[in-house]
Amino acid sequence: MSDSIEPRFRRLLVTGGAGFIGSCFVRDVLARRDGRSITVLDKLTYAGNRVNLAPAEADPEQAARLRFIVGDIADPAAVAPLVAEVDAVVNFAAESHVDRSILDPEAFLRTDVMGVHVLLEACRAERDRAAKGLRAAPRFLQVSTDEVYGSVESGESREDDRLEPRSPYSAAKAAGELLARSYFVTYGLDVVVTRGSNTYGPYHHPEKLIPLFITNAIDDQQLPLYGDGLQRRDWLYVADHAGAIGHVLEHGAAGETYNLAGNNERTNREIVTELLARLGKPWSLVRLVEDRPGHDRRYAMDSSKLAALGWTNKMPFGDGLAATVDWYRQNQDWWRSIKSGEWEAYYRRQYAARLAGSREAT
Ligand code: NAD
Ligand code: DAU
């Protein structure tokens, strides 16, 4: 994850550590066996799943360095004592799905804005204790997203470009990271921000494009492609995203923001074509459905600032996609248990009318 022999931050609070990218970060840090300990604080929303940490919990040496606490980052009483005992906070916790933010934005404001505020206030209290010589001030890493730049019709976003978020999700994420930066400027907190691109890989909740289409295709269900399917995303393998965050945690400069690009730009149609070929399923499963309102056409980032910090992604896109398809084939219990209960109501709300009015994708 990080290149350092001796990690700078040994006791970590990882919020949202039961989600897709957070759990990968936790598994990978613990698997390095470098003595770091992790407290996970996770609300276990519909997107959180403690099973995602099972590989670490099954290993006694790793399990001894992992503590799991169910709680809300927007709850100061839960957060303050945990921040008091760590060297760094890495905040993955968020409502993360754009479509859900369109259906119901409120939870996004509560977690992605107010939750970040509560974490920052706890770090500020610890910085005050550090000023009295009682401890070292904690570092705060805010995990943000390329969506804060808005739709990028051409070229690549750089860290100092204007933020033009266009969905309730991306607006809330922009607010969260701007708040974090304001605590660096105003209170001198040790804050770093990462902006990651579209991430894919094992343990990805099946509400998102790649796992939704893999799991639907395995079951010969329709694949609802929004609009013309020519929107472009830049895909980053989950272990590379988690690794880059670990690298910025160790080596990033306080007050700085780092783009984490995948450098694998594809249209959604290209992604579906690759998935169907790997699964041996027909294109006739694909249905063109009503577009996402305010759908961003393209994201693309320049990540030379991260490269200058010494990080290079490791997973080639074809290999990452093959590993992802294999994982979903081999871990059907994992996603079938998610695709039940609350999922069915969500799926109907999001897709029933769309699929009823859908057309064949040529
Ligand atoms: P996810 O939805 O899979 O996981 C989010 C986790 O946060 C879950 O475990 C959930 O239970 C937890 N959580 C939600 N609200 C909480 C709260 N109030 N208190 C404590 N825990 C709470 O998300 P992900 O895809 O792993 O994304 C992680 C982070 O990375 C998010 O901040 C997201 O904005 C950012 N990001 C994601 C991507 C991507 O493509 N997935 C890309 C760039 C940035
Ligand atoms: O870019 C980073 C962001 O990537 C993260 O900040 C978000 O947390 C993460 O969810 C992701 O957002 P997207 O909206 O890009 O991901 P999603 O998988 O929802 O959609 C990817 C593309 O696929 C997008 O153009 C919409 C399209 N899509 C998605 C779904 C779920 C479809 O065409 N059909 C679908 O059913």
Side-chain angles (χ1 to χ4, degrees):
M1 175 149 305
S2 151
D3 305 322
S4 343
I5 309 247
E6 192 55 40
R8 263 177 85 190
F9 305 103
R10 302 190 61 77
R11 299 169 304 165
L12 307 180
L13 175 61
V14 178
T15 52
F20 168 46
I21 310 171
S23 68
C24 180
F25 178 88
V26 172
R27 292 191 306 269
D28 289 357
V29 167
L30 293 175
R32 290 178 76 92
R33 301 182 192 279
D34 56 15
R36 280 182 285 181
S37 64
I38 294 183
T39 299
V40 169
L41 175 66
D42 198 295
K43 191 176 171 183
L44 293 181
T45 67
Y46 79 90
N49 191 346
R50 190 158 176 178
V51 170
N52 297 358
L53 296 171
E57 290 187 318
D59 176 316
E61 193 279 332
Q62 294 182 46
R65 292 181 287 115
L66 173 63
R67 183 167 55 140
F68 192 92
I69 293 173
V70 179
D72 188 340
I73 61 163
D75 174 4
V79 164
L82 300 180
V83 174
E85 56 188 34
V86 296
D87 306 316
V89 178
V90 186
N91 181 33
F92 291 93
E95 290 293 336
S96 71
H97 191 31
V98 173
D99 290 326
R100 290 193 195 242
S101 83
I102 293 167
L103 294 174
D104 178 12
E106 195 183 329
F108 289 74
L109 299 182
R110 213 175 318 118
T111 292
D112 302 9
V113 185
M114 290 309 297
V116 176
H117 174 246
V118 168
L119 291 170
L120 287 166
E121 277 297 305
C123 288
R124 182 156 81 102
E126 292 310 305
R127 192 230 39 184
D128 291 349
R129 288 181 63 220
K132 293 180 188 143
L134 297 172
R135 59 161 299 172
R139 165 159 275 201
F140 180 79
L141 188 150
Q142 171 64 7
V143 177
S144 191
T145 166
D146 61 359
E147 298 206 10
V148 297
Y149 294 115
S151 195
V152 184
E153 302 303 317
S154 61
E156 294 180 333
S157 307
R158 297 182 69 96
E159 286 82 353
D160 50 7
D161 284 357
R162 260 178 55 174
L163 303 190
E164 300 188 65
R166 288 155 36 90
S167 72
Y169 164 70
S170 54
K173 290 297 291 183
E177 67 157 85
L178 289 174
L179 202 58
R181 192 180 139 68
S182 82
Y183 272 60
F184 165 74
V185 174
T186 308
Y187 303 116
L189 239 66
D190 180 356
V191 168
V192 280
V193 174
T194 59
R195 294 185 185 137
S197 66
N198 273 71
T199 305
Y200 71 102
Y203 299 98
H204 201 186
H205 192 285
E207 68 191 355
K208 307 284 168 52
L209 176 78
I210 288 181
L212 177 69
F213 280 27
I214 294 173
T215 57
N216 276 14
I218 287 174
D219 283 346
D220 297 311
Q221 299 292 312
Q222 294 178 316
L223 311 182
L225 192 60
Y226 295 160
D228 60 9
L230 293 175
Q231 305 82 8
R232 305 181 79 86
R233 297 289 185 266
D234 172 29
W235 293 96
L236 172 63
Y237 192 64
V238 63
D240 280 329
H241 193 160
I245 287 171
H247 193 80
V248 171
L249 178 68
E250 286 286 312
H251 303 288
E256 295 295 322
T257 297
Y258 297 89
N259 287 344
L260 318 180
N263 300 314
N264 296 299
E265 192 177 325
R266 299 280 191 287
T267 65
N268 293 338
R269 274 180 186 258
E270 287 168 339
I271 291 291
V272 181
T273 304
E274 291 188 49
L275 291 177
L276 289 172
R278 286 178 191 284
L279 287 158
K281 297 286 181 173
W283 178 258
S284 57
L285 289 177
V286 181
R287 302 295 301 177
L288 291 183
V289 301
E290 185 190 339
D291 207 352
R292 173 186 280 177
H295 198 167
D296 288 338
R297 197 72 181 159
R298 175 174 177 264
Y299 304 129
M301 292 187 294
D302 176 305
S303 59
S304 47
K305 188 171 169 184
L306 176 70
L309 209 61
W311 175 260
T312 315
N313 292 333
K314 293 171 186 60
M315 182 64 96
F317 184 68
D319 295 353
L321 211 57
T324 303
V325 168
D326 285 349
W327 191 87
Y328 282 90
R329 274 195 177 123
Q330 288 159 15
N331 291 275
Q332 299 202 15
D333 288 352
W334 183 88
W335 56 265
R336 286 193 191 283
S337 72
I338 294 172
K339 279 183 142 185
S340 61
E342 186 272 345
W343 168 265
E344 284 162 12
Y346 164 73
Y347 198 80
R348 268 197 306 280
R349 192 171 172 207
Q350 180 64 19
Y351 294 108
R354 276 189 161 96
L355 283 169
S358 67
R359 43 197 184 90
E360 196 182 327
T362 47

